[in-house]
Amino acid sequence: QVHLVESVGGLVKAGGSLRLSCAASGSIFNPMGWYRQAPGKQREFVARITNGSNTNYAESVKGRFIISRDNAKNTVYLQMNSLKPEDTAVYYCTRDQNGLRYWGHGTQVTVSS
């Protein structure tokens, strides 16, 4: 059983920063990622990090967000900088394992203008 637990999000002003973390059960030596879902919108890809620590990002967050991992702590991070009101969403951590994608329960991030 895979368990992913995101840190508490929060409320931040536009231009501010916030770091999310995702603690995973077992080894995180699998591709991990972050998705988000804004009110009334479909869930969308944000960032991904492979087991080789290669990363890729959605165009909307490229240059502002950084995904990283600490294998010793079984934790993946999403550093979010220069936040915008349109970054407001529920953020979900994911892990790809054995052809399946596992999801955390999500954490709310709200960016005020």
Side-chain angles (χ1 to χ4, degrees):
Q1 189 75 12
V2 175
H3 292 287
L4 303 171
V5 180
E6 297 99 341
S7 59
V8 174
L11 173 64
V12 63
K13 291 184 178 180
S17 298
L18 191 65
R19 188 177 80 160
L20 302 179
S21 63
C22 172
S25 61
S27 171
I28 64 166
F29 207 65
N30 297 91
M32 303 280 292
W34 290 92
Y35 284 71
R36 68 186 182 186
Q37 187 166 18
K41 295 187 177 181
Q42 289 189 327
R43 195 171 295 187
E44 64 176 6
F45 167 76
V46 175
R48 186 172 186 264
I49 185 166
T50 69
N51 50 3
S53 293
N54 292 317
T55 59
N56 59 297
Y57 299 90
E59 284 298 321
S60 59
V61 307
K62 198 173 290 185
R64 300 188 298 122
F65 289 12
I66 301 171
I67 188 171
S68 61
R69 63 196 302 159
D70 184 336
N71 292 337
K73 296 182 178 180
N74 288 348
T75 300
V76 172
Y77 303 95
L78 184 68
Q79 177 67 44
M80 304 184 291
N81 302 317
S82 301
L83 282 162
K84 304 175 181 180
E86 51 263 45
D87 294 317
T88 295
V90 176
Y91 284 71
Y92 297 90
C93 174
T94 67
R95 180 163 109 188
D96 295 342
Q97 182 172 319
N98 298 329
L100 299 176
R101 174 161 292 161
Y102 296 87
W103 297 81
H105 291 293
T107 186
Q108 177 70 47
V109 173
T110 302
V111 183
S112 63
S113 56

